[in-house]
Amino acid sequence: MEREFAGTLLALIGMFIYGLEPVVIKSNPSNPMSFAAFSALVAALILWGLLFWTGEWREVLIGRNDLKRASLMGLFGTTLAYLAYSFGARMSTAINAALITRSEVLFSFFLSWVFLGERITKRLLSYSTVILLGLTMVILHGRSFELYLGDFLLLLVPLFWQLGHVIAKKLSYGPITIAALRNTFGFLLLLPLAVATGLELSPLVIAEGLIIALGQLIWYKAIKLINLSKATAIITPAPAVAIAMGVMMGEEFTIYHFLGFLLIAVGTLGAVRIKSELRT
């Protein structure tokens, strides 16, 4: 019970941390590739510092056989996900990008069921559907949903994220090591693309790097304690946190905000009460 409570609490904290990320990314004035590469580098340096401070860096030597899988985590979870998001968002709209990437919870159900043997209950499916309906209402604001070619690329983003999470769930490393390796490999893979498109350094990479490091540290600890599918359902409302910040800063509060947040709150509170289980 303590394990379930701790994992659930960490996932909820992660939801608020990741809710801050769109605010930082939106404010970035530099080359997106360069911003992503240097943000991953900052996060990696922070996390490696923690590893050496705690002495957990030895995990990398002990678990050398897991390094190949860790590189795949960096490839899918950071590099490919960011590329698909970057080009997809440019070919689509910001509204569609925010909505489509929140389909992550659906990919999580399928991949967790297939690769991790997690039990996906009807109740979790129901609460996750309520969350997605709430997000749809908040993001679309009653406007029509148009399909764009970039939408197909955006659909790959949550798939890549979840593939990275499935790999992370199977690694023998602790949360700090997993996050450090993901960002290290992500940086190394993104750096050539950043060089090719023009290196630019923005002070905001510090803020983004801190969000990535803290967010991933909490996230990987959470999915070590509870089911990946449940943790993903809990973190699904993260974009709504950024929207809520905008409302508190004086942006217009509409009926769509109210109804959307109501659905999101109901869905999230329901999801956190469901116990993580494996298929029997």
Side-chain angles (χ1 to χ4, degrees), residues 178-209:
I178 291 173
L181 290 174
R182 171 179 169 178
N183 286 286
T184 300
F185 286 116
F187 165 70
L188 293 174
L189 291 167
L190 283 166
L191 183 59
L193 299 172
V195 172
T197 55
L199 287 176
E200 292 181 287
L201 188 59
S202 166
L204 286 175
V205 298
I206 304 297
E208 176 66 1

Side-chain angles (χ1 to χ4, degrees), residues 247-263:
V247 171
M248 288 188 291
M249 292 170 65
E251 295 184 5
E252 183 184 6
F253 185 81
T254 69
I255 186 64
Y256 297 108
H257 284 121
F258 174 75
L259 294 176
F261 279 120
L262 183 62
L263 289 171

Side-chain angles (χ1 to χ4, degrees), residues 20-245:
L20 300 174
E21 193 170 22
V23 179
V24 176
I25 293 175
K26 186 178 179 180
S27 304
N28 167 47
S30 63
N31 171 17
M33 294 292 180
S34 188
F35 183 76
F38 284 119
S39 295
L41 175 61
V42 170
L45 291 174
I46 293 171
L47 292 162
W48 278 107
L50 283 174
L51 282 177
F52 281 104
W53 184 58
T54 60
E56 292 181 35
W57 62 271
R58 295 180 182 86
E59 284 187 333
V60 180
L61 299 178
I62 297 171
R64 287 191 298 271
N65 293 335
D66 269 348
L67 283 176
K68 184 176 180 180
R69 283 197 291 179
S71 68
L72 291 175
M73 174 183 60
L75 173 65
F76 287 111
T78 297
T79 306
L80 291 180
Y82 186 81
L83 289 175
Y85 190 91
S86 178
F87 289 105
R90 290 184 182 185
M91 297 169 63
S92 183
T93 66
I95 292 175
N96 285 20
L99 179 59
I100 292 171
T101 54
R102 286 307 93 200
S103 63
E104 185 178 8
V105 67
L106 304 179
F107 286 103
S108 176
F109 290 156
F110 177 73
L111 294 175
S112 299
W113 183 78
V114 173
F115 294 108
L116 301 177
E118 294 183 1
R119 183 168 176 251
I120 309 301
T121 65
K122 292 181 179 178
R123 286 179 61 206
L124 185 57
L125 280 171
S126 299
Y127 286 128
S128 298
T129 301
V130 172
I131 292 172
L132 288 172
L133 286 174
L135 282 167
T136 302
M137 190 167 293
V138 169
I139 296 169
L140 289 183
H141 250 61
R143 289 167 286 194
S144 61
F145 182 84
E146 301 177 44
L147 286 176
Y148 295 81
L149 290 176
D151 294 340
F152 295 102
L153 281 176
L154 290 169
L155 274 172
L156 293 176
V157 177
L159 173 61
F160 290 145
W161 281 340
Q162 285 300 312
L163 284 171
H165 296 336
V166 167
I167 295 170
K169 184 89 171 174
K170 288 178 171 290
L171 293 175
S172 59
Y173 306 127
I176 305 176
T177 306
I178 291 173
L181 290 174
R182 171 179 169 178
N183 286 286
T184 300
F185 286 116
F187 165 70
L188 293 174
L189 291 167
L190 283 166
L191 183 59
L193 299 172
V195 172
T197 55
L199 287 176
E200 292 181 287
L201 188 59
S202 166
L204 286 175
V205 298
I206 304 297
E208 176 66 1
L210 284 168
I211 290 173
I212 292 173
L214 183 57
Q216 288 184 10
L217 183 60
I218 290 173
W219 171 254
Y220 289 126
K221 179 63 176 177
I223 65 173
K224 287 285 185 180
L225 296 173
I226 61 175
N227 279 0
L228 173 61
S229 50
K230 176 178 176 177
T232 304
I234 294 170
I235 207 170
T236 295
V241 175
I243 296 172
M245 289 178 62

